Amino acid sequence: MALLGASSAAFAQAGVSSRALDSTAPPTTRAALAKAEPVLAKHAMVVSAQHLASEVGVQILKDGGNAIDAAVAVGYALAVVHPCCGNIGGGGFMMVHLADGKNLFLDFREKAPGKASPTMFQDDNGTVIKPRSTQTYQAVGIPGTVMGLEAARVKYGTMSRKQLMQPAIDLARKGYELQQGDINILHTRSDDFAKHPNVAKIFLNNGKPYQVGDTLKQPQLAKTLSLIEKDGPKAFYRGPIAHQLVMASIEHGGLLSMQDFADYSVQWDEPVSCKYRDYTIVSTPPPSSGGVTVCETLQILDPYPLEKWGYGSVQSVHTIAEAERRAFADRNTYLGDPAFVKNPIATLLSADHAEALRSTIEDDKATPSSEIKGNLATDEGQHTTHFSIVDAKGNAVSVTFTINYLFGIGQIAGDTGFFLNNEMDDFTSKPGVPNSFGLVQGKANQIEPGKRPLSSMSPTLVMRDGKLWMVTGSPGGSTIITTVLQSFLNVAAFGMNMQQSVNAPRMHMQWLPDVIMTEPGLLTPAVKAQLEDMGHHFHERSSWGADEAILINPQTGMLEGANDRRRPSGLAAGY
């Protein structure tokens, strides 16, 4: 696919790695989009990227568990049946809505090892050595998923760890039949699996890629999960699992230590919230950049008549791209782990700041990204999966967790059975140098010991008239933010149902590179030509993201579940 305009070289240089962003799904058409309908349920709903994990969650809800219980069970199940992305070797964020109206944020993002340093991915001349942050043990951050899921279960769950983990253990031990959607993702890294005997033993079938209908068994992972079920996080952070991870890291030149695992912690915090018309968006605070960037973009867009302009029109695409351009410039300049940097959230989300940015948007001309900078102070000169759950009592959980690339570094420590993350690439390897998602970031997100890398993960809740209205989120690195934004706007502004919203062709603008990434079907040739005449540049990519969303229809009270068409093995299921 050709790149258009003067920024094509920049995008090629900072382009998104195929390992970092899954593009295995075929494009859709406007005709197919018009026919898309969500799954309906009266009481409860689970939507995830793998059908077996969704079924596990529904069964937990039917057995009397709440949304938090189901989230723990789904999280562990995805670690088995969606190994590219579901994980115990990475970390993530959880948004919780309780039936009493309270909203909470749980941060179980990975942390940098104690031996990490700002220049660890640079050579002696200050040049970034890219493979270090994506393909080696130096790329591995301290995983948070096991402690995060247990923290949620202990605080708000109602069922035992054994009840919630046994389905995942059974799936790992007995195996499960692979569908085409599973095979599509496994085949993206088959050549890499072959490089490591302990990986090939599990994820290749006698040395050859798995095919549809084959059964994938993971006895090593079953053993690891059984240890966690028996002894809880202690087994992972202070016991035999941590020991294997550290020994493998030492053997392969990594930085992990037993002290790093012993020091790891998760944190409950207040979500970020903002208004858009009569909706309240409740999302993730730093170290996620997602909630702030989604909200800042919506603050800029609020006065514009998107409803009148329509989906995929010249004016709506132009205005949304310009708002994203400005919000991402702020995101990449100012945000970082709040334990290390001061995040100016109130200023970024203020009406004055939105108006100042809005005043720089021209109706008929694209603003070159070179003319946009984070403007609060002087210039300093993810792979992932998501699931959404609503239970019969009105509790809801939105979870996005990740190992960054598809299958992380593509390596497994010893016989632990799970892939290790390459989350350290989410840090700024060097200010001004793009990461794997093309993001050009500043010193606020530089590498420091014990620091959590800035993330784009954006599990999000939307309230309307004080009641839960939508649960949404997606994988996709920096594209997560724009995917979540569009899943909301497609319903709130463009009148789509929930299934149409998550299936609709997407656009993404992240400030640098100065290119709008689009999926086929978003722009007609005439619209694209007009936008190019206005100064916009485009790069077409077949697909990205996988929004797994639920809408609570205020007229009918029914739950509308939508599994993204980009995850054909996923499922929206309820009762």
Side-chain angles (χ1 to χ4, degrees), residues 277-337:
R277 314 286 173 81
D278 57 345
Y279 302 95
T280 300
I281 290 79
V282 183
S283 193
T284 50
S288 169
S289 64
V292 174
T293 311
V294 167
C295 277
E296 184 174 344
T297 307
L298 287 172
Q299 304 307 288
I300 298 169
L301 291 173
D302 192 274
Y304 291 103
L306 299 179
E307 299 88 343
K308 177 182 176 182
W309 291 338
Y311 170 80
S313 67
V314 171
Q315 279 307 121
S316 64
V317 171
H318 166 70
T319 307
I320 291 170
E322 291 298 296
E324 291 174 353
R325 189 194 307 270
R326 287 154 175 79
F328 267 92
D330 282 347
R331 177 246 187 235
N332 296 353
T333 304
Y334 301 115
L335 299 181
D337 184 346

Side-chain angles (χ1 to χ4, degrees), residues 31 49 98 185 354 418 512:
L98 300 177
I185 298 174
F418 60 89
L512 294 173

Side-chain angles (χ1 to χ4, degrees), residues 233-475:
K234 181 174 65 174
F236 192 94
Y237 293 94
R238 296 175 181 270
I241 302 169
H243 182 74
Q244 282 205 65
L245 296 177
V246 170
M247 290 300 100
S249 178
I250 292 171
E251 180 183 351
H252 294 91
L255 305 179
L256 306 181
S257 72
M258 290 299 290
Q259 192 63 49
D260 290 328
F261 282 85
D263 289 344
Y264 183 82
S265 61
V266 301
Q267 184 170 328
W268 291 93
D269 210 340
E270 290 293 320
V272 165
S273 65
C274 62
K275 299 284 289 186
Y276 177 85
R277 314 286 173 81
D278 57 345
Y279 302 95
T280 300
I281 290 79
V282 183
S283 193
T284 50
S288 169
S289 64
V292 174
T293 311
V294 167
C295 277
E296 184 174 344
T297 307
L298 287 172
Q299 304 307 288
I300 298 169
L301 291 173
D302 192 274
Y304 291 103
L306 299 179
E307 299 88 343
K308 177 182 176 182
W309 291 338
Y311 170 80
S313 67
V314 171
Q315 279 307 121
S316 64
V317 171
H318 166 70
T319 307
I320 291 170
E322 291 298 296
E324 291 174 353
R325 189 194 307 270
R326 287 154 175 79
F328 267 92
D330 282 347
R331 177 246 187 235
N332 296 353
T333 304
Y334 301 115
L335 299 181
D337 184 346
F340 289 76
V341 300
K342 182 175 177 58
N343 292 278
I345 297 172
T347 303
L348 292 174
L349 299 186
S350 68
D352 288 346
H353 187 57
E355 174 55 35
L357 295 178
R358 197 182 304 120
S359 69
T360 67
I361 298 176
E362 298 185 52
D363 292 341
D364 58 356
K365 182 181 177 183
T367 307
S369 288
S370 59
E371 297 180 9
I372 301 293
K373 297 186 183 298
N375 61 356
L376 300 183
T378 54
D379 186 15
E380 292 275 7
Q382 315 77 94
H383 207 62
T384 313
T385 190
H386 177 86
F387 57 93
S388 297
I389 301 173
V390 176
D391 68 23
K393 295 180 181 178
N395 303 295
V397 177
S398 180
V399 176
T400 311
F401 65 156
T402 183
I403 51 176
N404 202 30
Y405 273 23
L406 290 170
F407 303 99
I409 63 169
Q411 298 184 55
I412 292 171
D415 62 359
T416 57
F418 60 89
F419 287 98
L420 293 166
N421 70 80
N422 56 359
E423 215 60 65
M424 294 293 288
D425 186 63
D426 275 2
F427 282 114
T428 304
S429 293
K430 183 178 181 179
V433 176
N435 71 359
S436 293
F437 290 95
L439 285 170
V440 178
Q441 304 175 100
K443 291 178 66 176
N445 190 39
Q446 73 177 4
I447 304 168
E448 297 178 71
K451 189 177 185 179
R452 302 182 199 265
L454 188 64
S455 171
S456 295
M457 292 185 291
S458 314
T460 296
L461 310 167
V462 182
M463 319 298 292
R464 190 176 189 184
D465 299 325
K467 297 179 180 179
L468 183 68
W469 184 71
M470 183 185 288
V471 184
T472 187
S474 176

Side-chain angles (χ1 to χ4, degrees), residues 27-30 33 311-312 486 490 496 500-508 517-523 541-544 565-566:
T28 190
T29 64
R30 292 290 185 101
L33 191 63
Y311 170 80
Q486 289 165 93
N490 285 346
M496 298 184 189
Q500 291 169 330
S501 177
V502 303
N503 283 3
R506 295 175 179 140
M507 59 176 283
H508 174 72
M517 193 162 69
T518 61
E519 289 184 336
L522 172 67
L523 305 177
R541 189 170 181 133
S542 59
S543 63
W544 66 82
R565 64 174 177 82
R566 300 164 186 82

Side-chain angles (χ1 to χ4, degrees), residues 155-230:
K155 193 171 183 70
Y156 293 110
T158 65
M159 301 177 78
S160 70
R161 190 164 58 238
K162 181 175 179 59
Q163 288 173 295
L164 301 181
M165 292 191 67
Q166 195 61 51
I169 294 169
D170 291 342
L171 283 166
R173 182 175 293 127
K174 298 175 183 178
Y176 66 99
E177 185 176 312
L178 295 166
Q179 296 187 350
Q180 187 63 56
D182 306 311
I183 293 300
N184 291 345
I185 298 174
L186 283 169
H187 283 187
T188 64
R189 298 293 300 268
S190 293
D191 291 345
D192 293 323
F193 298 160
K195 298 174 183 176
H196 307 285
N198 64 332
V199 178
K201 182 179 179 181
I202 305 168
F203 289 99
L204 294 177
N205 191 0
N206 294 318
K208 297 181 179 180
Y210 279 99
Q211 302 300 325
V212 173
D214 288 344
T215 297
L216 175 59
K217 296 183 179 181
Q218 300 170 74
Q220 298 92 336
L221 181 56
K223 179 181 177 182
T224 292
L225 292 173
S226 295
L227 288 172
I228 297 168
E229 183 275 311
K230 179 175 180 290

